[in-house]
């Protein structure tokens, strides 16, 4: 390993450090802290501020790819930039790193950040889809693949996982998260952090994670991106904060502050959040980076008069690094001179930055995450592609299968493959596809072709476009349906309709796709509706008229093969919804863990909490998802039935596969606190287990439910377990459950 020439004062320390070339430990490696001390001692103010400055590379879409501009190169050489993002490729990142470690005075390596959200080049299912697998081991493994590919390309920092809870499907970024539940969201958050960072972030296949967007970005009013968030501290702490905490506990090296305000205080200038909760309560030791330009956005938010004031507010609140706005570079030195930012605080910010660089092993080998050879062997490797296919099929949720229409027989004579997404190569990549490329995608039509014998006739008709109004293709689609034994109809959204700045005011299928669905359904042929989208859509008509429906979200490069695996029974569906499917957008917000109210809805009773023109139930409940087999749940046994506030209840249930196929089931455990000092949700997910059962096989599933899982914020905002009675629900989703009861008494 060649070490770059370093500032002489550091050589001894670094030599000593590399003698102990073993995995570094995060947080607080003593050698790292000594190295950082010695650096901070010799850094000028401009060099310190430089570490806090992050800029995007130029020319994302140019060929052969992005690069740092001449001006940025100069700033790097002068130690005025600590990290570059949107730069990738071993060649480009090495060239930029070379400037930092050969031309800058202190030779501090750069961070290279990128939104590696669901894969680097091997695009995996979008996070909302992967959350539908309820399979944390798979999610961790997929994040590892993404990390290894990105790292080979020189990227050492991903702006992921996005762990924002979302209860409003109009919000486009719901696609990037894990849905509406704090426990599922927390487990997914931790799994992704472990996946990106591995056991050792300094490994050449690991990159730093960034839990975002802190905090409560998903609570935007009206589901409109960037909008105001206003919620009680109880909801913030019980529902929205747990996934960020889980990411921090899993060792996330960085956190991104969010664009939104919470109750009048924008997150990026929010001392209570960034310093109070994140650092003081949770003990986070990495650095906080602002979201893109979020520091100067404190001006339109109306809490800073100008960029100088914005920089002071953000930095003093605890935003260590400035993404793109330039406010710190321009004004932190002056704020320091004027005493509006203190030197110890600046040093602390720099320390946090350097800690992450140290944890990534960049002081040992700044080029660690960058290798042409690894780029060639890792990216899109057959192994990675196989994992993407498996992730794809595990992420699909079977919503309806009337009369056992699915799986289709492979001996079927003809299939009409219809719809704007049926042979679409670009949209299945989903939003935030990093380096995903349409040419890597297996379309649904191709996947079906791969699955059936060549004797099966495939009739393809697009029918219409995703958003257009042209109906002229519908007749051909109907003709194809009429000529076939079965129809696979792929409809949904474009990838650009979800993700950032992609909120929608309706959850309907866009364009004239409803007309296409109705026309194809009217042929009377057996139709399988395949949905591709970044949010749950309102599909009430389809649910009432189409026999089989699959929610496939956006599955990435192996879309077609993964869906075909389910269509023809090579894989038995096991996905479960990570959020509630509404009948119509008018039900928003509607989440399973809601409060009961004083007048719980009764559809036949006027003066109850309901809409007069809709059933009160969702279209599909949280946790819902069918299999090609059926599972039967026995009664729930609890023991003991009385515990104290330090005790544990064992929850037991027998689950039997009553169908004819081997199948995987996600057994779900929910709890309700019957009476509290404050109102409690009607049920809350407390655990789940994945089991595989052969036909006829039954198994006892046991959950251990410690009283600490019942912690809540009481009427004085103390975090306690309140004695009282609790109802336990176990089942195949949040609605279809069997229940039991236990009691918690004082200790
Ligand atoms: C803005 C987005 O909100 C954030 O999620 C992303 O990481 C940054 N841009 C950088 O691309």
């Amino acid at each position: 390993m060649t070490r770059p020439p370093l500032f002489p004062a550091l050589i001894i320390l670094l030599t000593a450090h590399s003698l102990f070339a073993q995995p570094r430990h995060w947080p607080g490696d003593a050698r790292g802290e000594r190295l950082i001390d010695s650096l901070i001692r010799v850094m000028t103010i401009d060099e310190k501020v430089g570490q806090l400055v992050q800029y995007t590379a130029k020319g994302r879409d140019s060929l052969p790819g992005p690069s740092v501009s001449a001006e940025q190169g100069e700033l790097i050489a002068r130690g005025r930039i600590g990290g570059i993002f949107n730069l990738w490729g071993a060649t480009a990142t090495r060239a930029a790193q070379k400037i930092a470690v050969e031309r800058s005075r202190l030779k501090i390596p750069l961070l290279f950040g990128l939104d590696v959200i669901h894969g680097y080049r091997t695009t995996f299912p979008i996070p909302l889809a992967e959350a539908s697998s309820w399979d944390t081991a798979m999610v961790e493994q997929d994040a590892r693949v993404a990390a290894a590919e990105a790292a080979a390309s020189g990227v050492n920092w991903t702006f992921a996982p996005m762990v924002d809870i979302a209860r409003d499907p109009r919000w486009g970024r719901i696609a990037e998260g894990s849905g509406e539940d704090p426990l599922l969201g927390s487990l997914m958050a931790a799994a992704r952090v472990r996946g990106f960072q591995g056991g050792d972030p300094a490994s050449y296949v690991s990159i730093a994670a960034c839990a975002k967007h802190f905090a409560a970005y998903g609570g935007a009013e009206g589901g409109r991106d960037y909008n105001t968030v206003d919620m009680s501290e109880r909801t913030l702490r019980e529902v929205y904060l747990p996934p960020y905490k889980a990411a921090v506990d899993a060792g996330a090296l960085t956190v991104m502050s969010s664009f939104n305000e919470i109750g009048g205080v924008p997150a990026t200038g929010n001392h209570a959040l960034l310093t109070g909760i994140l650092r003081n309560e949770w003990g986070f030791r990495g650095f906080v980076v602002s979201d893109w330009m979020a520091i100067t956005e404190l001006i339109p938010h109306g809490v800073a008069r100008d960029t100088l004031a914005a920089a002071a507010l953000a930095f003093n609140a605890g935003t260590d690094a400035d993404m793109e706005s330039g406010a710190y570079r321009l004004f932190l030195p002056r704020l320091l001179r004027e005493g509006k930012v203190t030197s110890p605080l600046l040093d602390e910010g720099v320390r946090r930055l350097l800690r992450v660089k140290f944890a990534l092993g960049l002081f040992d080998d700044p080029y660690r995450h960058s290798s042409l050879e690894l780029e060639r062997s890792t990216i899109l490797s057959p192994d990675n592609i196989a994992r993407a296919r498996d992730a794809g099929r595990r992420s699909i949720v079977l919503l309806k299968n009337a009369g056992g229409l699915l799986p289709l027989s492979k001996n079927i004579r003809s299939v009409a493959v219809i719809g704007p997404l049926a042979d679409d190569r670009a949209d299945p990549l989903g939003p935030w596809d990093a380096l995903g490329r349409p040419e890597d995608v297996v379309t649904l039509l191709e996947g079906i072709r791969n699955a059936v014998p060549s004797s099966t006739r495939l009739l393809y008709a697009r029918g219409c476009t995703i958003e257009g109004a042209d109906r002229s293709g519908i007749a051909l689609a109907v003709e194809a349906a009429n000529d076939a034994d079965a129809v696979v109809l792929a409809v949904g959204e474009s990838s650009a309709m979800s993700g950032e700045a992609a909120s929608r005011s309706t959850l309907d299928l866009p364009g004239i796709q409803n007309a296409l669905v109705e026309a194809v359904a009217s042929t009377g042929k057996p139709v399988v509706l395949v949905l591709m989208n970044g949010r749950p859509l309102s599909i009430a008509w389809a649910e009432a008229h189409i026999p089989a429906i699959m929610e496939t979200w956006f599955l990435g490069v192996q879309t077609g093969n993964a869906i075909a695996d389910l269509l023809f029974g090579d894989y038995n569906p096991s996905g479960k919804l990570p959020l509630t499917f509404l009948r119509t957008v008018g039900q928003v917000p509607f989440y399973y863990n809601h409060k009961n109210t004083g007048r719980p809805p009764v559809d036949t009773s006027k003066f109850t909490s309901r809409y007069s023109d809709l059933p009160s139930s969702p279209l599909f409940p949280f946790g819902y998802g069918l299999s090609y087999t059926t599972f039967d749940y026995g009664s729930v046994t609890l023991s003991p039935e009385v515990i104290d506030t330090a005790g544990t209840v064992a929850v037991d249930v027998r689950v039997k596969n009553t169908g004819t196929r081997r199948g995987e089931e996600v057994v779900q455990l929910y709890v309700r606190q019957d009476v509290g000092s404050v109102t409690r949700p009607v049920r809350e997910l407390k655990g789940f287990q994945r089991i595989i059962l052969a036909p006829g096989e039954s198994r006892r599933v046991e959950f251990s439910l410690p009283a600490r899982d019942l912690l809540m914020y009481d009427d004085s905002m103390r975090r306690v377990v309140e004695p009282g009675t609790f109802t336990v629900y176990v089942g195949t989703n949040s609605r279809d459950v069997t229940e039991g009861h236990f009691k918690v008494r004082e200790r």
Side-chain angles (χ1 to χ4, degrees):
M1 174 171 65
T2 10
R3 195 177 309 114
L6 287 149
F7 188 75
L10 303 176
I11 291 211
I12 298 174
L13 267 172
L14 280 178
T15 310
H17 168 70
S18 52
L19 283 179
F20 300 98
Q22 53 192 340
R24 278 143 298 272
H25 299 289
W26 176 263
D29 179 290
R31 287 160 293 137
E33 297 297 310
R34 280 201 302 277
L35 161 68
I36 293 165
D37 282 340
S38 57
L39 271 171
I40 289 178
R41 268 200 297 276
V42 298
M43 289 170 93
T44 64
I45 287 178
D46 284 333
E47 283 166 340
K48 287 179 183 173
V49 170
Q51 285 304 306
L52 311 179
V53 173
Q54 321 283 322
Y55 281 122
T56 184
K58 303 287 180 229
R60 192 195 144 111
D61 297 320
S62 61
L63 287 172
S67 59
V68 295
S69 65
E71 189 197 343
Q72 286 172 338
E74 268 324 291
L75 288 171
I76 295 170
R78 288 168 48 220
R80 302 295 195 271
I81 291 185
I84 290 281
F85 56 102
N86 291 333
L87 184 71
W88 59 79
T91 310
T93 51
R94 278 180 169 259
Q97 194 67 293
K98 196 165 154 53
I99 304 176
V101 299
E102 291 186 12
R103 286 178 53 203
S104 77
R105 187 177 77 95
L106 294 177
K107 315 197 181 313
I108 299 174
L110 293 169
L111 285 175
F112 296 110
L114 187 71
D115 290 279
V116 181
I117 308 292
H118 53 110
Y120 178 70
R121 170 88 185 259
T122 304
T123 309
F124 283 86
I126 57 170
L128 187 61
E130 287 212 332
S132 308
S133 73
W134 294 50
D135 186 339
T136 50
M138 178 200 90
V139 166
E140 179 173 341
Q141 205 175 59
D142 295 349
R144 281 229 58 60
V145 170
E149 288 195 0
S153 216
V155 172
N156 49 31
W157 180 26
T158 175
F159 303 132
M162 188 199 99
V163 304
D164 304 316
I165 293 290
R167 292 174 154 186
D168 189 335
R170 292 173 297 183
W171 190 52
R173 304 200 79 169
I174 201 166
E176 295 172 56
S178 295
E180 71 188 28
D181 183 67
L183 177 67
L184 185 63
S186 297
L187 294 170
M188 292 294 163
R192 290 204 165 89
V193 170
R194 288 195 304 270
F196 288 130
Q197 296 188 174
D200 180 7
S203 145
Y204 71 96
V205 286
S206 296
I207 58 180
C210 181
K212 71 186 190 185
H213 308 80
F214 193 66
Y217 181 39
E221 285 179 355
R224 221 178 67 220
D225 209 1
Y226 317 122
N227 202 11
T228 304
V229 174
D230 200 356
M231 64 175 63
S232 70
E233 190 185 351
R234 177 171 290 107
T235 300
L236 179 70
R237 286 187 178 270
E238 288 188 348
V239 178
Y240 285 81
L241 290 187
Y244 309 105
K245 167 86 161 50
V248 167
D249 288 346
L253 292 169
T254 73
V255 166
M256 188 184 292
S257 70
S258 55
F259 288 126
N260 56 284
E261 69 159 81
I262 306 179
V265 187
T268 300
N270 196 321
H271 189 271
L273 264 185
L274 301 178
T275 301
I277 295 180
L278 184 62
R279 299 218 165 81
N280 298 345
E281 277 185 38
W282 298 354
F284 175 63
R285 305 191 72 223
F287 72 82
V288 173
V289 64
S290 77
D291 202 341
W292 174 280
M293 306 282 283
I295 295 176
T296 42
E297 286 178 16
L298 294 172
I299 303 169
H301 266 298
V303 292
R305 185 160 297 285
D306 50 25
T307 309
L308 177 81
L313 182 58
F315 193 74
N316 286 324
T319 304
D320 302 302
D322 174 359
M323 183 190 285
E324 197 60 17
S325 88
Y328 284 3
R329 190 166 77 79
L330 294 178
F331 292 111
L332 270 189
R334 175 168 153 200
L335 286 166
L336 215 73
R337 281 196 304 276
E338 293 175 357
K340 292 186 180 131
V341 160
T342 67
S343 261
L345 202 66
L346 176 64
D347 287 357
E348 197 43 43
V350 175
R351 174 178 300 281
R352 294 182 190 129
L353 253 294
L354 295 178
R355 252 188 209 141
V356 170
K357 293 185 174 182
F358 181 82
L360 284 168
L362 296 177
F363 286 105
D364 264 353
D365 178 3
Y367 302 106
R368 171 186 303 279
H369 301 82
S370 190
S371 147
L372 278 173
E373 202 186 308
L374 278 175
E375 255 183 331
R376 270 191 298 270
S377 60
T378 307
I379 292 176
L380 273 185
S381 73
D383 217 44
N384 295 358
I385 291 174
R387 286 189 201 287
R389 179 173 183 160
D390 192 45
R393 51 199 204 172
R394 298 175 86 77
S395 300
I396 298 172
V397 185
L398 181 64
L399 296 175
K400 187 176 175 194
N401 193 17
L405 171 59
L406 288 172
L408 300 173
S409 159
K410 282 193 184 171
N411 295 325
I412 192 163
R413 274 176 314 165
S414 57
V415 182
V417 186
I418 296 175
L421 285 140
D423 199 28
D424 183 331
R425 206 172 285 290
D427 290 301
L429 289 169
W432 293 112
D433 54 346
L435 266 72
R437 292 197 196 159
E439 66 259 33
D440 301 336
V441 171
V442 178
T443 72
L444 175 57
L445 181 63
E446 289 166 347
I448 293 176
R449 180 78 277 165
N450 294 340
V452 294
S454 54
S455 54
T456 303
R457 264 181 75 218
L458 296 185
L459 308 159
Y460 166 69
R462 187 164 71 157
C464 62
T465 58
I466 294 173
E467 291 183 83
D470 181 0
R471 291 171 186 259
S472 61
I474 294 184
L476 272 180
V478 167
E479 207 175 293
N482 275 324
D483 282 353
D485 291 339
V487 180
V488 175
L489 176 55
V491 295
E493 298 180 316
S494 69
S495 64
M497 295 178 85
S498 57
E500 189 181 351
S503 294
R504 293 183 63 201
S505 65
T506 135
L507 302 176
D508 293 338
L509 279 169
I512 53 152
Q513 293 183 80
N514 272 325
L516 175 68
V517 173
E518 287 172 26
V520 171
S522 70
T523 62
K525 293 285 175 170
V527 177
V528 181
L529 191 71
V530 171
L531 297 164
M532 296 188 195
N533 40 40
R535 58 164 62 74
L537 298 177
S538 44
I539 49 156
W541 189 92
E543 193 271 337
H545 296 92
I546 306 275
I549 307 176
M550 259 182 205
E551 176 55 79
T552 75
W553 312 109
F554 291 124
L555 296 179
V557 286
Q558 283 289 298
T559 291
N561 288 334
I563 299 174
D565 283 341
L566 269 74
L567 286 174
F568 297 99
D570 290 328
Y571 184 81
N572 188 353
S574 61
K576 301 278 188 177
L577 293 178
L579 35 65
T580 305
F581 259 59
L582 312 183
R583 294 173 188 279
T584 140
V585 71
Q587 288 178 302
V588 173
F590 191 171
Y591 39 88
Y592 85 96
N593 47 355
H594 58 82
K595 303 295 186 68
N596 202 37
T597 82
R599 293 192 178 186
V602 177
D603 285 346
T604 48
S605 178
K606 180 170 171 65
F607 293 100
T608 62
S609 182
R610 55 185 282 263
Y611 295 106
S612 58
D613 52 358
L614 268 185
S616 310
S617 54
L619 194 61
F620 299 107
F622 174 84
Y624 181 85
L626 303 173
S627 160
Y628 293 153
T629 188
T630 44
F631 299 101
D632 197 49
Y633 282 69
S635 53
V636 174
T637 324
L638 304 183
S639 84
E641 288 174 354
V642 180
I643 57 167
D644 67 27
T645 51
T648 296
V649 187
V651 180
D652 247 296
V653 68
R654 189 162 277 284
V655 184
K656 182 170 185 196
N657 180 343
T658 47
T660 53
R661 282 171 182 268
R662 180 178 173 276
E664 258 181 274
E665 168 72 327
V666 180
V667 182
Q668 302 164 36
L669 169 76
Y670 298 86
V671 172
R672 176 178 188 169
Q673 179 176 348
D674 300 331
V675 178
S677 63
V678 292
T679 62
R680 302 299 303 152
V682 293
R683 58 195 58 173
E684 292 174 282
L685 183 71
K686 293 296 177 188
F688 56 89
Q689 283 182 43
R690 234 170 206 290
I691 54 168
I692 303 178
L693 294 178
E697 186 185 352
S698 80
R699 170 139 7 126
R700 219 185 97 207
V701 178
E702 188 179 313
F703 291 93
S704 134
L705 180 66
R708 69 167 176 278
D709 283 1
L710 310 172
L711 281 165
M712 45 81 83
Y713 287 90
D714 71 3
D715 50 356
S716 310
M717 284 307 287
R718 285 173 308 206
R719 198 153 183 261
V720 294
V721 176
E722 291 188 331
T725 60
F726 292 80
T727 306
V728 167
Y729 306 91
V730 181
T732 183
N733 61 54
S734 61
R735 181 191 62 201
D736 303 314
V737 289
T738 45
E739 61 179 80
H741 303 271
F742 70 96
K743 205 168 168 171
V744 175
R745 57 170 166 72
E746 297 281 3
R747 253 194 120 187

